[in-house]
Amino acid sequence: MADVVQLNPGSVPLAVWRQVSEGSGFKLDPGCRPGVEAAQQTVADIVARGETVYGINTGFGRLANTSIPGDQLALLQRNLVLSHATGTGAPLAESTVRLILALKAASLAQGYSGVAWATVEALLRLAEADVLPVIPAKGSVGASGDLAPLAHMAAALIGVGEVTHKGEVIDAAAGLKRAGLEPLVLGPKEGLALLNGTQVSTALALEGLFAADDAFAAATVAGALCVDAVKGSDAPFDARIQAVRGQPGQQQMAAVYRDLMVGSQIRQSHLDCTRVQDPYSLRCQPQVMGACLDNLRYAGQVLVTEANAVSDNPLVFAEDGAVLSGGNFHAEPVAMAADIIAVALAEVGALSERRIALLMDPAMSGLPAFLVADGGLNSGFMIAQVTAAALASENKSLAHPASVDSLPTSANQEDHVSMATFAARRLGEMADNVAGIVAVELLAAAQGIEFHAPMVTSPKLAEAHAVIRGEVAFYDKDRYWARDLAAAKTLVRDGVFRRFVGAVLG
């Protein structure tokens, strides 16, 4: 890890969470330790007085009315972790697990969970030592928190289950030794504090948001290139059109398109052409991409709030000794934000695919059929467009809102759940699909631009074109397509095009 960022619990900016997601190390503001210790002392005082308080000395869920003797409280917390580690499916990516550890540590460090400072430090140490719990991706309904996946995280802390270390899967107990840790003996409430919370859903949703930002930026550049490639008009991007509607994202995106296209020789060559209007996939880009931008920003606001939240239960308020049961573990905000991101991703991909289809059709584009010379002998971009169509269609199904679903759990005690974990997890697949679609459009639009030589596009789009050509050569005749697609897709996923529109995305 090349750099280390400081997490100030409760006020970590979205940009810092992105740095953690991309591999930065992290540490906590040391000033948060007294609050953590005060909450732990509050829990210890409750146990000493023999009070019965949910999560400290009771059962859980439907068994919350069962009191547990003091000499069995450590066993209670251990049993909770072991019994809840019921995840299944492929393990989450190591980058996701690292982000989960950061989110959980920052939440516990706010001092409302009643855990020991050593427990918080153990989470930090796992990440620092690159000893990462193996967390199965499936098994959470997003309330009461991400119980199953977080139980796998917590199990590693007590030396149970598996972890990865430098890419190797090893026993959790061995992993703790490599991290310089002993297995934790969980105190009252600690197991519940580790299991309760929305950190898995939030981590997955944040990663989906960041991938959506990268795809959005690339699609914006591809759309501008496409307008020039088919000799479309920039008149629909006029600021006056956007101003009378007033939608902020639309106005900002129109300004981005104007900035990207200014100075194009290709545009100057057809200012007096007889074409009256372009298809919607060209001229309505500010409206569609602007709406996507507004919604991605809103989802980002929800997610950064959740990333800085305390979402376990019950909560400990050391200032007056209160321990209050509520429902902060219910991940409905994350589920709805993830659904919003999913819809935006589906629309970005759908619009890009329509522009690819436009580029293929000589009657619409004025370019060679399928963007290749000697059509018939060469198929050119024909099946690349089919791939884009398949990915766009797949995203339509994946975009169905997950948050409208609910199945009761825990013998109807938990009778409404958010499905946030799936809502967030499917964003990775959707963003990957969009990256594939936009990769095809970038290659197709770059190809179309070159058919207008010696005329050139705008300076900024020429720079973007050079980025593409730095990885993929002009398609002069049929060759193995998959390699070109993979190279262009890597550019999208790596966020290379963010610098062309970064001021808008933030």
Side-chain angles (χ1 to χ4, degrees), residues 234-255 258 283-287:
D234 58 358
F237 308 144
D238 190 295
R240 292 168 292 183
I241 296 173
Q242 329 309 322
V244 297
R245 192 178 202 186
Q247 294 289 351
Q250 175 182 330
Q251 294 180 76
Q252 290 174 307
M253 289 309 300
R258 292 195 303 271
R283 64 182 163 112
C284 294
Q285 289 185 84
Q287 288 79 7

PDB file of all heavy atoms in Angstrom, residues 234-255 258 283-287:
ATOM      1  N   ASP A 234     -23.851  19.803 -32.649  1.00  0.00           N
ATOM      2  CA  ASP A 234     -23.672  20.180 -31.244  1.00  0.00           C
ATOM      3  C   ASP A 234     -24.711  21.202 -30.790  1.00  0.00           C
ATOM      4  O   ASP A 234     -24.706  21.621 -29.637  1.00  0.00           O
ATOM      5  CB  ASP A 234     -22.261  20.710 -30.996  1.00  0.00           C
ATOM      6  CG  ASP A 234     -21.911  21.910 -31.864  1.00  0.00           C
ATOM      7  OD1 ASP A 234     -22.747  22.314 -32.704  1.00  0.00           O
ATOM      8  OD2 ASP A 234     -20.786  22.437 -31.721  1.00  0.00           O
ATOM      9  N   ALA A 235     -25.610  21.581 -31.685  1.00  0.00           N
ATOM     10  CA  ALA A 235     -26.648  22.555 -31.323  1.00  0.00           C
ATOM     11  C   ALA A 235     -27.519  22.095 -30.164  1.00  0.00           C
ATOM     12  O   ALA A 235     -27.915  22.917 -29.323  1.00  0.00           O
ATOM     13  CB  ALA A 235     -27.510  22.879 -32.547  1.00  0.00           C
ATOM     14  N   PRO A 236     -27.847  20.794 -30.061  1.00  0.00           N
ATOM     15  CA  PRO A 236     -28.671  20.365 -28.923  1.00  0.00           C
ATOM     16  C   PRO A 236     -28.006  20.558 -27.565  1.00  0.00           C
ATOM     17  O   PRO A 236     -28.667  20.434 -26.534  1.00  0.00           O
ATOM     18  CB  PRO A 236     -28.894  18.867 -29.208  1.00  0.00           C
ATOM     19  CG  PRO A 236     -28.752  18.730 -30.674  1.00  0.00           C
ATOM     20  CD  PRO A 236     -27.670  19.696 -31.035  1.00  0.00           C
ATOM     21  N   PHE A 237     -26.711  20.877 -27.570  1.00  0.00           N
ATOM     22  CA  PHE A 237     -26.000  21.074 -26.308  1.00  0.00           C
ATOM     23  C   PHE A 237     -25.949  22.547 -25.906  1.00  0.00           C
ATOM     24  O   PHE A 237     -25.331  22.896 -24.891  1.00  0.00           O
ATOM     25  CB  PHE A 237     -24.579  20.519 -26.410  1.00  0.00           C
ATOM     26  CG  PHE A 237     -24.513  19.097 -26.913  1.00  0.00           C
ATOM     27  CD1 PHE A 237     -23.481  18.671 -27.732  1.00  0.00           C
ATOM     28  CD2 PHE A 237     -25.504  18.187 -26.583  1.00  0.00           C
ATOM     29  CE1 PHE A 237     -23.417  17.371 -28.202  1.00  0.00           C
ATOM     30  CE2 PHE A 237     -25.461  16.876 -27.046  1.00  0.00           C
ATOM     31  CZ  PHE A 237     -24.416  16.463 -27.860  1.00  0.00           C
ATOM     32  N   ASP A 238     -26.592  23.385 -26.662  1.00  0.00           N
ATOM     33  CA  ASP A 238     -26.627  24.822 -26.384  1.00  0.00           C
ATOM     34  C   ASP A 238     -27.136  25.062 -24.962  1.00  0.00           C
ATOM     35  O   ASP A 238     -28.141  24.482 -24.533  1.00  0.00           O
ATOM     36  CB  ASP A 238     -27.530  25.515 -27.403  1.00  0.00           C
ATOM     37  CG  ASP A 238     -27.443  27.033 -27.342  1.00  0.00           C
ATOM     38  OD1 ASP A 238     -27.832  27.615 -26.298  1.00  0.00           O
ATOM     39  OD2 ASP A 238     -27.001  27.638 -28.331  1.00  0.00           O
ATOM     40  N   ALA A 239     -26.480  25.951 -24.257  1.00  0.00           N
ATOM     41  CA  ALA A 239     -26.821  26.205 -22.849  1.00  0.00           C
ATOM     42  C   ALA A 239     -28.242  26.724 -22.677  1.00  0.00           C
ATOM     43  O   ALA A 239     -28.886  26.463 -21.651  1.00  0.00           O
ATOM     44  CB  ALA A 239     -25.829  27.203 -22.252  1.00  0.00           C
ATOM     45  N   ARG A 240     -28.750  27.431 -23.667  1.00  0.00           N
ATOM     46  CA  ARG A 240     -30.101  28.011 -23.538  1.00  0.00           C
ATOM     47  C   ARG A 240     -31.175  26.930 -23.469  1.00  0.00           C
ATOM     48  O   ARG A 240     -32.176  27.080 -22.756  1.00  0.00           O
ATOM     49  CB  ARG A 240     -30.365  28.966 -24.705  1.00  0.00           C
ATOM     50  CG  ARG A 240     -29.493  30.224 -24.668  1.00  0.00           C
ATOM     51  CD  ARG A 240     -29.559  30.996 -25.972  1.00  0.00           C
ATOM     52  NE  ARG A 240     -28.915  30.241 -27.069  1.00  0.00           N
ATOM     53  CZ  ARG A 240     -28.783  30.699 -28.303  1.00  0.00           C
ATOM     54  NH1 ARG A 240     -29.252  31.906 -28.623  1.00  0.00           N
ATOM     55  NH2 ARG A 240     -28.192  29.972 -29.236  1.00  0.00           N
ATOM     56  N   ILE A 241     -30.973  25.851 -24.219  1.00  0.00           N
ATOM     57  CA  ILE A 241     -31.938  24.749 -24.182  1.00  0.00           C
ATOM     58  C   ILE A 241     -32.009  24.155 -22.778  1.00  0.00           C
ATOM     59  O   ILE A 241     -33.099  23.894 -22.246  1.00  0.00           O
ATOM     60  CB  ILE A 241     -31.539  23.659 -25.199  1.00  0.00           C
ATOM     61  CG1 ILE A 241     -31.597  24.207 -26.622  1.00  0.00           C
ATOM     62  CG2 ILE A 241     -32.444  22.420 -25.057  1.00  0.00           C
ATOM     63  CD1 ILE A 241     -31.046  23.248 -27.665  1.00  0.00           C
ATOM     64  N   GLN A 242     -30.867  23.960 -22.189  1.00  0.00           N
ATOM     65  CA  GLN A 242     -30.806  23.334 -20.872  1.00  0.00           C
ATOM     66  C   GLN A 242     -31.350  24.271 -19.789  1.00  0.00           C
ATOM     67  O   GLN A 242     -32.013  23.827 -18.845  1.00  0.00           O
ATOM     68  CB  GLN A 242     -29.363  22.932 -20.528  1.00  0.00           C
ATOM     69  CG  GLN A 242     -28.458  22.542 -21.686  1.00  0.00           C
ATOM     70  CD  GLN A 242     -29.009  21.514 -22.647  1.00  0.00           C
ATOM     71  OE1 GLN A 242     -29.678  20.577 -22.235  1.00  0.00           O
ATOM     72  NE2 GLN A 242     -28.717  21.690 -23.950  1.00  0.00           N
ATOM     73  N   ALA A 243     -31.082  25.561 -19.947  1.00  0.00           N
ATOM     74  CA  ALA A 243     -31.462  26.529 -18.912  1.00  0.00           C
ATOM     75  C   ALA A 243     -32.969  26.601 -18.720  1.00  0.00           C
ATOM     76  O   ALA A 243     -33.450  26.746 -17.587  1.00  0.00           O
ATOM     77  CB  ALA A 243     -30.899  27.904 -19.246  1.00  0.00           C
ATOM     78  N   VAL A 244     -33.725  26.496 -19.825  1.00  0.00           N
ATOM     79  CA  VAL A 244     -35.183  26.647 -19.687  1.00  0.00           C
ATOM     80  C   VAL A 244     -35.828  25.416 -19.063  1.00  0.00           C
ATOM     81  O   VAL A 244     -36.982  25.469 -18.650  1.00  0.00           O
ATOM     82  CB  VAL A 244     -35.845  26.978 -21.041  1.00  0.00           C
ATOM     83  CG1 VAL A 244     -35.345  28.316 -21.566  1.00  0.00           C
ATOM     84  CG2 VAL A 244     -35.639  25.877 -22.069  1.00  0.00           C
ATOM     85  N   ARG A 245     -35.092  24.322 -19.027  1.00  0.00           N
ATOM     86  CA  ARG A 245     -35.613  23.159 -18.309  1.00  0.00           C
ATOM     87  C   ARG A 245     -35.180  23.194 -16.846  1.00  0.00           C
ATOM     88  O   ARG A 245     -35.957  22.841 -15.955  1.00  0.00           O
ATOM     89  CB  ARG A 245     -35.146  21.855 -18.956  1.00  0.00           C
ATOM     90  CG  ARG A 245     -35.895  20.642 -18.421  1.00  0.00           C
ATOM     91  CD  ARG A 245     -35.474  19.357 -19.077  1.00  0.00           C
ATOM     92  NE  ARG A 245     -36.518  18.350 -18.944  1.00  0.00           N
ATOM     93  CZ  ARG A 245     -36.382  17.087 -19.327  1.00  0.00           C
ATOM     94  NH1 ARG A 245     -35.252  16.682 -19.888  1.00  0.00           N
ATOM     95  NH2 ARG A 245     -37.365  16.234 -19.171  1.00  0.00           N
ATOM     96  N   GLY A 246     -33.931  23.537 -16.605  1.00  0.00           N
ATOM     97  CA  GLY A 246     -33.483  23.756 -15.236  1.00  0.00           C
ATOM     98  C   GLY A 246     -32.910  22.561 -14.508  1.00  0.00           C
ATOM     99  O   GLY A 246     -32.464  22.702 -13.365  1.00  0.00           O
ATOM    100  N   GLN A 247     -32.894  21.380 -15.122  1.00  0.00           N
ATOM    101  CA  GLN A 247     -32.339  20.212 -14.435  1.00  0.00           C
ATOM    102  C   GLN A 247     -30.825  20.372 -14.309  1.00  0.00           C
ATOM    103  O   GLN A 247     -30.128  20.548 -15.313  1.00  0.00           O
ATOM    104  CB  GLN A 247     -32.674  18.930 -15.205  1.00  0.00           C
ATOM    105  CG  GLN A 247     -34.154  18.590 -15.254  1.00  0.00           C
ATOM    106  CD  GLN A 247     -34.687  18.125 -13.914  1.00  0.00           C
ATOM    107  OE1 GLN A 247     -33.928  17.895 -12.964  1.00  0.00           O
ATOM    108  NE2 GLN A 247     -36.001  17.982 -13.817  1.00  0.00           N
ATOM    109  N   PRO A 248     -30.279  20.301 -13.083  1.00  0.00           N
ATOM    110  CA  PRO A 248     -28.852  20.613 -12.903  1.00  0.00           C
ATOM    111  C   PRO A 248     -27.913  19.671 -13.643  1.00  0.00           C
ATOM    112  O   PRO A 248     -26.942  20.102 -14.272  1.00  0.00           O
ATOM    113  CB  PRO A 248     -28.657  20.531 -11.383  1.00  0.00           C
ATOM    114  CG  PRO A 248     -29.813  19.738 -10.875  1.00  0.00           C
ATOM    115  CD  PRO A 248     -30.953  20.022 -11.798  1.00  0.00           C
ATOM    116  N   GLY A 249     -28.167  18.373 -13.562  1.00  0.00           N
ATOM    117  CA  GLY A 249     -27.296  17.424 -14.245  1.00  0.00           C
ATOM    118  C   GLY A 249     -27.304  17.637 -15.750  1.00  0.00           C
ATOM    119  O   GLY A 249     -26.255  17.552 -16.406  1.00  0.00           O
ATOM    120  N   GLN A 250     -28.466  17.889 -16.300  1.00  0.00           N
ATOM    121  CA  GLN A 250     -28.576  18.139 -17.735  1.00  0.00           C
ATOM    122  C   GLN A 250     -27.748  19.345 -18.143  1.00  0.00           C
ATOM    123  O   GLN A 250     -27.010  19.308 -19.141  1.00  0.00           O
ATOM    124  CB  GLN A 250     -30.044  18.360 -18.105  1.00  0.00           C
ATOM    125  CG  GLN A 250     -30.272  18.739 -19.559  1.00  0.00           C
ATOM    126  CD  GLN A 250     -31.732  18.990 -19.881  1.00  0.00           C
ATOM    127  OE1 GLN A 250     -32.622  18.390 -19.257  1.00  0.00           O
ATOM    128  NE2 GLN A 250     -32.006  19.860 -20.828  1.00  0.00           N
ATOM    129  N   GLN A 251     -27.833  20.407 -17.379  1.00  0.00           N
ATOM    130  CA  GLN A 251     -27.069  21.612 -17.699  1.00  0.00           C
ATOM    131  C   GLN A 251     -25.562  21.344 -17.623  1.00  0.00           C
ATOM    132  O   GLN A 251     -24.788  21.788 -18.487  1.00  0.00           O
ATOM    133  CB  GLN A 251     -27.458  22.744 -16.750  1.00  0.00           C
ATOM    134  CG  GLN A 251     -28.903  23.214 -16.928  1.00  0.00           C
ATOM    135  CD  GLN A 251     -29.257  24.339 -15.986  1.00  0.00           C
ATOM    136  OE1 GLN A 251     -28.866  25.483 -16.190  1.00  0.00           O
ATOM    137  NE2 GLN A 251     -29.994  24.018 -14.927  1.00  0.00           N
ATOM    138  N   GLN A 252     -25.158  20.616 -16.611  1.00  0.00           N
ATOM    139  CA  GLN A 252     -23.728  20.340 -16.451  1.00  0.00           C
ATOM    140  C   GLN A 252     -23.205  19.410 -17.537  1.00  0.00           C
ATOM    141  O   GLN A 252     -22.100  19.603 -18.062  1.00  0.00           O
ATOM    142  CB  GLN A 252     -23.473  19.756 -15.064  1.00  0.00           C
ATOM    143  CG  GLN A 252     -23.668  20.791 -13.958  1.00  0.00           C
ATOM    144  CD  GLN A 252     -23.546  20.165 -12.586  1.00  0.00           C
ATOM    145  OE1 GLN A 252     -24.204  19.181 -12.266  1.00  0.00           O
ATOM    146  NE2 GLN A 252     -22.689  20.732 -11.763  1.00  0.00           N
ATOM    147  N   MET A 253     -23.990  18.425 -17.910  1.00  0.00           N
ATOM    148  CA  MET A 253     -23.536  17.501 -18.944  1.00  0.00           C
ATOM    149  C   MET A 253     -23.482  18.185 -20.306  1.00  0.00           C
ATOM    150  O   MET A 253     -22.569  17.928 -21.105  1.00  0.00           O
ATOM    151  CB  MET A 253     -24.434  16.271 -18.998  1.00  0.00           C
ATOM    152  CG  MET A 253     -24.264  15.342 -17.811  1.00  0.00           C
ATOM    153  SD  MET A 253     -22.534  14.897 -17.461  1.00  0.00           S
ATOM    154  CE  MET A 253     -22.076  14.104 -18.999  1.00  0.00           C
ATOM    155  N   ALA A 254     -24.422  19.056 -20.604  1.00  0.00           N
ATOM    156  CA  ALA A 254     -24.365  19.787 -21.863  1.00  0.00           C
ATOM    157  C   ALA A 254     -23.088  20.620 -21.932  1.00  0.00           C
ATOM    158  O   ALA A 254     -22.439  20.710 -22.990  1.00  0.00           O
ATOM    159  CB  ALA A 254     -25.597  20.674 -22.012  1.00  0.00           C
ATOM    160  N   ALA A 255     -22.721  21.221 -20.810  1.00  0.00           N
ATOM    161  CA  ALA A 255     -21.488  21.999 -20.773  1.00  0.00           C
ATOM    162  C   ALA A 255     -20.276  21.103 -21.016  1.00  0.00           C
ATOM    163  O   ALA A 255     -19.319  21.505 -21.692  1.00  0.00           O
ATOM    164  CB  ALA A 255     -21.363  22.713 -19.427  1.00  0.00           C
ATOM    165  N   ARG A 258     -20.136  20.353 -24.739  1.00  0.00           N
ATOM    166  CA  ARG A 258     -19.649  21.522 -25.474  1.00  0.00           C
ATOM    167  C   ARG A 258     -18.133  21.655 -25.318  1.00  0.00           C
ATOM    168  O   ARG A 258     -17.409  21.928 -26.288  1.00  0.00           O
ATOM    169  CB  ARG A 258     -20.342  22.799 -24.970  1.00  0.00           C
ATOM    170  CG  ARG A 258     -21.818  22.885 -25.287  1.00  0.00           C
ATOM    171  CD  ARG A 258     -22.362  24.302 -25.089  1.00  0.00           C
ATOM    172  NE  ARG A 258     -22.152  24.829 -23.750  1.00  0.00           N
ATOM    173  CZ  ARG A 258     -23.005  24.663 -22.730  1.00  0.00           C
ATOM    174  NH1 ARG A 258     -24.118  23.960 -22.899  1.00  0.00           N
ATOM    175  NH2 ARG A 258     -22.756  25.190 -21.548  1.00  0.00           N
ATOM    176  N   ARG A 283     -28.656  13.498 -29.626  1.00  0.00           N
ATOM    177  CA  ARG A 283     -29.051  14.837 -29.182  1.00  0.00           C
ATOM    178  C   ARG A 283     -29.647  14.885 -27.783  1.00  0.00           C
ATOM    179  O   ARG A 283     -29.705  15.959 -27.170  1.00  0.00           O
ATOM    180  CB  ARG A 283     -30.000  15.497 -30.183  1.00  0.00           C
ATOM    181  CG  ARG A 283     -31.348  14.841 -30.388  1.00  0.00           C
ATOM    182  CD  ARG A 283     -32.107  15.636 -31.463  1.00  0.00           C
ATOM    183  NE  ARG A 283     -33.204  14.904 -32.026  1.00  0.00           N
ATOM    184  CZ  ARG A 283     -34.491  15.226 -31.849  1.00  0.00           C
ATOM    185  NH1 ARG A 283     -34.802  16.255 -31.080  1.00  0.00           N
ATOM    186  NH2 ARG A 283     -35.435  14.526 -32.417  1.00  0.00           N
ATOM    187  N   CYS A 284     -30.077  13.768 -27.260  1.00  0.00           N
ATOM    188  CA  CYS A 284     -30.639  13.763 -25.898  1.00  0.00           C
ATOM    189  C   CYS A 284     -29.621  13.308 -24.854  1.00  0.00           C
ATOM    190  O   CYS A 284     -29.997  12.985 -23.720  1.00  0.00           O
ATOM    191  CB  CYS A 284     -31.878  12.875 -25.838  1.00  0.00           C
ATOM    192  SG  CYS A 284     -33.262  13.491 -26.812  1.00  0.00           S
ATOM    193  N   GLN A 285     -28.367  13.310 -25.205  1.00  0.00           N
ATOM    194  CA  GLN A 285     -27.352  12.899 -24.226  1.00  0.00           C
ATOM    195  C   GLN A 285     -27.354  13.768 -22.968  1.00  0.00           C
ATOM    196  O   GLN A 285     -27.250  13.232 -21.848  1.00  0.00           O
ATOM    197  CB  GLN A 285     -25.960  12.891 -24.867  1.00  0.00           C
ATOM    198  CG  GLN A 285     -25.765  11.757 -25.868  1.00  0.00           C
ATOM    199  CD  GLN A 285     -24.348  11.702 -26.396  1.00  0.00           C
ATOM    200  OE1 GLN A 285     -23.462  11.124 -25.783  1.00  0.00           O
ATOM    201  NE2 GLN A 285     -24.137  12.324 -27.550  1.00  0.00           N
ATOM    202  N   PRO A 286     -27.472  15.086 -23.066  1.00  0.00           N
ATOM    203  CA  PRO A 286     -27.510  15.865 -21.817  1.00  0.00           C
ATOM    204  C   PRO A 286     -28.678  15.484 -20.922  1.00  0.00           C
ATOM    205  O   PRO A 286     -28.537  15.439 -19.691  1.00  0.00           O
ATOM    206  CB  PRO A 286     -27.619  17.317 -22.309  1.00  0.00           C
ATOM    207  CG  PRO A 286     -27.059  17.294 -23.690  1.00  0.00           C
ATOM    208  CD  PRO A 286     -27.461  15.972 -24.258  1.00  0.00           C
ATOM    209  N   GLN A 287     -29.826  15.212 -21.538  1.00  0.00           N
ATOM    210  CA  GLN A 287     -31.015  14.877 -20.756  1.00  0.00           C
ATOM    211  C   GLN A 287     -30.864  13.523 -20.062  1.00  0.00           C
ATOM    212  O   GLN A 287     -31.157  13.385 -18.866  1.00  0.00           O
ATOM    213  CB  GLN A 287     -32.250  14.876 -21.669  1.00  0.00           C
ATOM    214  CG  GLN A 287     -32.699  16.247 -22.122  1.00  0.00           C
ATOM    215  CD  GLN A 287     -31.865  16.817 -23.276  1.00  0.00           C
ATOM    216  OE1 GLN A 287     -31.008  16.145 -23.852  1.00  0.00           O
ATOM    217  NE2 GLN A 287     -32.135  18.077 -23.617  1.00  0.00           N
TER     218      GLN A 287
END
